Amino acid sequence: MRTDYQCLLVKQDGGVLTITMNRPEKLNAFNDTMLGELTEVVESAAQDNSVRCLVITGAGRAFGSGQDLTSFAERTTTDESFKVSSHLTNYHRLVFAIRNAPKPVIAAIQGVAAGISCNIALACDMRIAADNARFIEAFARIGLVPDGGGGFFLPRLVGMGKAMEMSMLADEVSGPEAERIGLVNKCVPLVEFESTTKAFAQRLAKGPTRTYALIKELIYKSVESDLPTTLRLEGELQDKAFETADHREGVTAFLQKRPAQYTGR
Ligand code: LHQ
């Protein structure tokens, strides 16, 4: 696994790969380099069997402040043929990399998560926030619509009314409020943020990883599907889960009254 990135810190601890966006002087705003590097590392970690859980987080006092507006403004003024939608396809590749990774991807958010950084956190499978977190769908503040998948993830996580409010008013949502409305799985005091994230990720990394991939497929397909289709898919995926070594280990461990030792196979 490559770890020498310009705008990221990448560290593996057992089965957990922690990817830290590292442009703290810009509150980890996305420039092209950071976006390309993050996409590359998620895509390669998806293929690497030694990685069984990914954590995406930010250095300094933020998760991320969205698109780097300085570099973006320079480009849009110098290149007349520039189209935002083509630029967005680079973010879409990252969104797909996260969603299609056959293992859990966690966002760990402290401080501000604004604009497309907020929506990249929403693309992850689960979110842990510190109590100083500030979620801002900042787009409407600069006359834009939510991008990076925000229009898809937000109403599915918090419901239509709250998604409209967050998108139109673009007010800050605090960490505790984010937990209350289902935007994050858990909000903890800042002093417990690192240890909670680590314990959560290590627990997932020691789980039945192949089954987790099947769970991602089942849950994500179900929200775009009907009941008969989902029940058919459930059967197909359960046939696959039934064949895993981890299923056999889980049943054996239960019968032997001991904790299961999952290998991810
Ligand atoms: C920044 C940024 C930033 C550059 C803070 N860029 N420097 C958009 C365009 C097209 C295509 C793709 O899609 C997108 C998606 C988007 O993400 S749109 C939304 C873009 N993001 C924003 O509009 C948020 C802009 N930032 C802010 O509103 C504030 O900085 C927040 C609320 C994030 C944080 O406020 P504070 O905690 O008060 O920090 P600050 O404003 O003092 O920022 C610290 C520094 O970071 C500052 O630089 P300086 O040199 O003055 O210390 C900011 O200029 C810089 N920074 N965000 N996105």
Side-chain angles (χ1 to χ4, degrees):
M1 174 70 59
R2 190 186 148 198
T3 53
D4 58 325
Y5 290 96
Q6 200 181 313
C7 300
L8 301 177
L9 303 171
V10 177
K11 191 165 163 258
Q12 188 164 353
D13 177 12
V16 176
L17 189 78
T18 301
I19 308 161
T20 305
M21 297 179 281
N22 190 29
R23 303 186 71 224
E25 70 291 350
K26 297 271 186 188
L27 303 184
N28 306 315
F30 275 105
N31 62 7
D32 287 354
T33 307
M34 194 172 89
L35 176 58
E37 289 182 345
L38 183 56
T39 307
E40 180 190 318
V41 73
V42 173
E43 285 178 348
S44 72
Q47 305 294 322
D48 183 338
N49 287 336
S50 75
V51 177
R52 293 170 64 187
C53 177
L54 281 78
V55 176
I56 300 178
T57 192
R61 67 176 179 94
F63 178 79
S65 58
Q67 168 71 41
D68 186 320
L69 293 174
T70 327
S71 58
F72 194 73
E74 276 163 21
R75 186 175 329 160
T76 47
T77 46
T78 54
D79 179 0
E80 277 182 11
S81 63
F82 182 81
K83 205 121 174 76
V84 185
S85 54
S86 342
H87 178 61
L88 284 176
T89 57
N90 300 317
Y91 284 104
H92 298 167
R93 185 169 155 195
L94 172 60
V95 168
F96 284 125
I98 292 168
R99 293 286 283 219
N100 296 335
K103 54 197 75 176
V105 183
I106 308 305
I109 304 112
Q110 51 87 28
V112 75
I116 207 156
S117 301
C118 180
N119 290 340
I120 294 304
L122 303 190
C124 293
D125 302 315
M126 284 173 271
R127 282 151 291 284
I128 295 180
D131 58 3
N132 72 344
R134 303 154 62 194
F135 295 88
I136 316 173
E137 290 288 337
F139 306 88
R141 287 186 184 183
I142 54 170
L144 295 179
V145 303
D147 58 24
F152 182 88
F153 302 123
L154 202 55
R156 283 167 171 78
L157 284 165
V158 298
M160 207 62 92
K162 203 72 197 171
M164 287 293 182
E165 181 188 327
M166 284 183 70
S167 301
M168 288 187 181
L169 298 182
D171 287 337
E172 290 189 17
V173 171
S174 69
E177 172 74 351
E179 184 186 68
R180 197 184 65 75
I181 65 177
L183 194 64
V184 303
N185 296 73
K186 200 191 276 283
C187 174
V188 296
L190 184 57
V191 286
E192 293 167 23
F193 174 65
E194 250 184 73
S195 58
T196 305
T197 302
K198 188 173 174 186
F200 194 76
Q202 287 291 356
R203 184 173 163 201
L204 286 164
K206 291 185 175 124
T209 309
R210 282 184 60 195
T211 301
Y212 286 165
L214 300 171
I215 290 172
K216 279 182 76 161
E217 186 176 345
L218 180 63
I219 302 286
Y220 288 139
K221 283 190 174 158
S222 82
V223 291
E224 295 163 66
S225 198
D226 58 19
L227 181 62
T229 312
T230 304
L231 293 184
R232 243 188 332 271
L233 179 66
E234 167 194 287
E236 283 166 29
L237 298 178
Q238 199 67 297
D239 282 343
K240 289 184 185 168
F242 197 75
E243 293 299 318
T244 61
D246 282 340
H247 165 59
R248 288 191 293 278
E249 164 61 10
V251 174
T252 307
F254 171 75
L255 296 175
Q256 294 177 351
K257 300 188 186 298
R258 60 167 175 83
Q261 300 285 330
Y262 294 119
T263 58
R265 289 193 297 272

